[in-house]
Amino acid sequence: MKRKEHPVDDPRGRLTKDGIRIHEPSEFEGMHRAGRLAAEILDEVGDLVAPGATTEALDDFIRGRVEAAGARSATIGYRGYQHASCISVNHVVCHGIPGPKTLKDGDVLNIDVTVIVDGWFGDTSRMYVAGTLSRKAQRLIEVTHDSLMRGIEAVRPGNTFGDIGHAIQSYVEAQRMSVVRDFCGHGLGRVFHAPPNVLHYGRPGTGPRLEEGMFFTIEPMVNLGRPETKVLADDWTAVTRDKSLSAQFEHSIGVTRDGCEIFTLSPAGRFHPSM
């Protein structure tokens, strides 16, 4: 749930010269707890995704599951938003609002969930299919998933955020698809959005340098067509301007001494719809 903007940060702890929070090793555990709950919820809601289901019903399940866990939804009440998830179907790029419209056979959708557990934010999203997956949608989903993993592979101290963006962009464009520029990943921890803006495109060696203890999301949005988007009159729903299919995957990660840890791994191994 992040446009490119200057976000609000947590006042505690050390900041880099770029305003990025550096977290202590002891704080990784809180992020793992929050990330695990968010991932568990996405594991479970997948069983409800089918032709005839409504995105409203999927969101109701997510809301109930968050409450049953004794956690809070980060999105309910965020800038007036009133749902426990964003559900983006077909050409919706991100921030799709759950509603009464039913899913059709072949629809692809991204479900994005952020929970708060003991003050820590767990933020993740993944793709689902209602019914039969078309070949072009399957390829889009594969490329988007693999671009995320390539971005994560670039995360290690000494590399830059430009290295992450370049790894994603160069892979996606080699597959003749496009990376959305209008939305980005973000820092998080005890706040929903914090520096830095994590762009999914860029040049190697540019941007802030990665340091151990940084927490942020990587969440590339990939379009089958052109990268341009527009936001609808509800001021939330972003769609592709050319109505081409769009896909997104998101993990929350923490930079370690020699790489990174993924906080939002699927406990059931269901992060990808083919799993």
Side-chain angles (χ1 to χ4, degrees):
M1 189 168 277
K2 181 71 169 66
R3 298 181 176 93
K4 287 189 288 189
E5 59 188 37
H6 187 73
V8 176
D9 195 14
D10 180 353
R12 293 168 285 187
R14 180 172 77 84
L15 295 177
T16 70
K17 64 181 178 63
D18 299 294
I20 304 170
R21 177 94 26 222
I22 302 298
H23 297 85
E24 297 298 323
S26 60
E27 296 180 299
F28 276 66
E29 178 54 35
M31 290 296 290
H32 275 294
R33 290 196 304 272
R36 182 180 178 88
L37 176 60
E40 286 176 346
I41 291 170
L42 290 187
D43 283 348
E44 295 166 9
V45 76
D47 293 333
L48 305 180
V49 176
T54 66
T55 55
E56 189 174 58
L58 300 178
D59 185 72
D60 287 343
F61 171 83
I62 292 166
R63 183 191 299 255
R65 184 64 174 79
V66 173
E67 293 174 353
R72 290 191 294 129
S73 167
T75 55
I76 296 175
Y78 179 81
R79 297 187 175 182
Y81 195 78
Q82 294 302 315
H83 303 275
S85 64
C86 295
I87 303 180
S88 303
V89 183
N90 293 335
H91 73 292
V92 179
V93 175
C94 60
H95 303 164
I97 301 174
K101 189 174 181 179
T102 58
L103 297 174
K104 303 186 300 296
D105 184 59
D107 281 347
V108 295
L109 55 152
N110 175 274
I111 302 181
D112 190 340
V113 170
T114 308
V115 299
I116 309 171
V117 177
D118 299 327
W120 295 100
F121 286 69
D123 187 1
T124 184
S125 80
R126 65 181 82 155
M127 296 299 295
Y128 301 83
V129 58
T132 305
L133 184 63
S134 71
R135 181 166 295 183
K136 67 177 182 179
Q138 180 179 14
R139 184 166 176 268
L140 171 66
I141 289 170
E142 293 285 354
V143 169
T144 308
H145 172 270
D146 292 350
S147 75
L148 168 63
M149 302 316 293
R150 286 173 183 252
I152 290 173
E153 288 171 4
V155 177
R156 66 181 65 88
N159 278 5
T160 68
F161 283 94
D163 294 328
I164 298 172
H166 177 73
I168 293 168
Q169 179 186 8
S170 60
Y171 175 73
V172 169
E173 293 180 352
Q175 311 306 312
R176 304 177 66 82
M177 299 180 193
S178 65
V179 176
V180 170
R181 265 71 162 173
D182 298 330
F183 300 90
C184 61
H186 53 89
L188 80 171
R190 288 190 176 273
V191 291
F192 196 171
H193 296 125
N197 285 338
V198 182
L199 306 183
H200 304 116
Y201 59 95
R203 299 190 311 276
T206 62
R209 199 159 295 281
L210 297 164
E211 295 185 34
E212 182 180 0
M214 291 180 174
F215 296 165
F216 52 87
T217 70
I218 304 177
E219 46 186 294
M221 288 143 274
V222 176
N223 297 344
L224 270 179
R226 294 185 55 81
E228 291 84 9
T229 70
K230 64 178 180 180
V231 177
L232 301 185
D234 59 29
D235 202 35
W236 283 108
T237 307
V239 300
T240 56
R241 283 191 175 272
D242 61 6
K243 299 190 184 304
S244 62
L245 283 179
S246 187
Q248 180 185 21
F249 284 88
E250 175 184 13
H251 270 317
S252 296
I253 67 171
V255 183
T256 62
R257 181 177 302 178
D258 56 2
C260 68
E261 292 181 8
I262 300 175
F263 299 130
T264 47
L265 289 172
S266 165
R270 301 180 69 180
F271 186 66
H272 190 283
S274 67
M275 297 175 178

